[in-house]
Amino acid sequence: MIHNKATASGTSQPQKLDVIIIGAGLAGMYQLFRVRELGMSVRVIEAGSDVGGTWYWNRYPGARFDSESYTYGYSFSKELLQEWSWSEHFAPQPETLRYAQHVADRFDMRRDILFKHKVVSAEWLEESREWQLKLHTGALMTARFLITAAGSLSVPTLPRIKGIEQFAGVACHTANWPHEAVRFEGKRVAVLGTGATGIQTIQEVAKTAAHLTVFQRTANWSAPLHNSPITPEQQIAIKSSYSDIFKRCRESISGFIHNPDPRRGVEVSEQEREEFWEKLYKAAGFGIWIGNFRDLMTDRQTNAWMSDFIARKIRQRVKDPGIAEKLIPKDHGFGTRRVPLESGYFEIYNQANVELIDLRETPIERITPTGIRTAQRDFEFDMIIYATGFDALTGAYDQIDIRGTNGRRLKDQWAQGARTFHGFQSEDFPNLLMVMGPMGPLGNIPRVIEYNVEWVSKLLKHMQTKGLTRVEARPESVQAWMDVVKAASIGLLSNEVDSWMTGVNTNVDGKTARVLSRFSGTGPDFRSRCDAIAADGYPELDMK
Ligand code: NAP
């Protein structure tokens, strides 16, 4: 192992380190914590000016997570769990950012993080068995191990619409939201995009904007969040039951406290189904998606009935039947895309200051200096908000020119879809370890992150103990994992639908066709496979 001390940050001096981590979001921060424990020299490279990742960038109005707050924080420190008090059941972005900052302070993380720096290239040097990174400043750094913790949804994408650069008003992607407060009073605002981000943004903007025009291409099934403050009594109960809460998350299919109902929707009576769904509709969080009948995501009939249940709710909540119909998805079933959770979303379409434009009926022709021109009319706006999503899962990797053995580019390697070993490694890229890489599981993200970081750290420790300096996934191990990923995806209705989870983003070249991009089996299954690999001494990996 190399044990050179890192030199001053930001200089053009090549720095030699044991580990470089890309990204200081929740994944990078925890990875830093664990690498330090191993006594390795480490630097984190972060593009933002502070920690937080997703929560640093996504400052748009209404941003909050849909995981129960007490399942979202790190579980690795009992003291941290006891000293941090979440104020709401589903915390808003400013609070989650404060949490990340608190963690950084508490564990003195910032001294190892190089902020406002971007990695432009990473090249594997076979002879010295290290990665050489070039930063946007031209500075070079080398490290034996490169760990990517750059996020699954961290590269925002703008729509490819003619004239987009000509708009003279304020235009902003939700993931590049300004740090200063943005006010909507008296303004004519457009929001493009009705995914989880758009739906949160729209609800906030509608409260104060003079006029809000929502441009919707695909309607999404959305269900109530039912957020509320955490009372002092609940706070005590939460803090005294953290070990049970995290056990529940560990045992659940995707790291949330929700688990599928053991019944199949097709097996029960119509009355039983309706009563169950009414109960779920009134309950907080993702229960309506993850805690639904166990065949919701595989049986077309159950899924169609559930979709019909939610469609009826939308019709009850939206006064204008024509608008209600536009808001009801017609091309995919409930839960086959990530379900946005809302707090009064549908009712905002009853407000006089809100208008819905269905882009399937009247597509946008261009952005003009004063607004947006559709096939039907010209709109004037003071502000256009793009809630148009991300170059998901592989986008952060495509941003960097990553070259492995024999100069092989990762982007080329993944041109037909990413291939990894459990989301941790790709063949031909020795010592490149990914936290939450493509083909790994998704779910309640911090829970997935913690396990991934711990697995990677255990591997580093193993190599450290044995004096090994090179690790690479064998091609046959990658193929075997890809077969598992494929098998787990069979029969899932979500894989028949375009979404970022099936690798589709019409705003990115080469990402218009569906590909497998995630492991859709359960968290416990994933972890038991990964635990077994470690327990057996990593036979699937080639180590020297
Ligand atoms: P998204 O789900 O990919 O949604 C992007 C939206 O923009 C879609 O409505 C899409 O329409 C629209 N769009 C994209 N390009 C367009 C174009 N050229 N013209 C018109 N419309 C266009 O992205 P997101 O809403 O940012 O959410 C991404 C993920 O982030 C979520 O699924 C979730 O995992 C995470 N997230 C979580 C939370 C939370 O925890 N509460 C909040 C926000 C986001 P189409 O559907 O037709 O493509």
Side-chain angles (χ1 to χ4, degrees), residues 158-172:
L158 286 168
R160 297 200 268 204
I161 304 176
K162 252 192 288 176
I164 191 163
E165 68 295 336
Q166 286 172 8
F167 181 62
V170 176
C172 189

Side-chain angles (χ1 to χ4, degrees), residues 382-396:
D382 302 302
M383 185 169 193
I384 301 179
I385 300 174
Y386 296 105
T388 43
F390 300 88
D391 185 355
L393 303 166
T394 51

Side-chain angles (χ1 to χ4, degrees), residues 30 33-34 73-85 99 102 106-107 238-244 246 250 450:
Y30 185 42
F33 177 85
R34 288 288 175 210
Y74 293 113
S75 70
F76 70 85
S77 160
K78 286 201 168 68
E79 297 75 27
L80 176 62
L81 285 168
Q82 292 308 313
E83 73 200 17
W84 183 263
S85 301
Y99 172 74
H102 169 74
R106 193 187 193 289
F107 297 102
I238 288 167
K239 290 195 179 183
S240 62
S241 54
Y242 265 126
S243 57
D244 289 342
F246 291 121
R250 263 195 313 279
E450 274 192 346

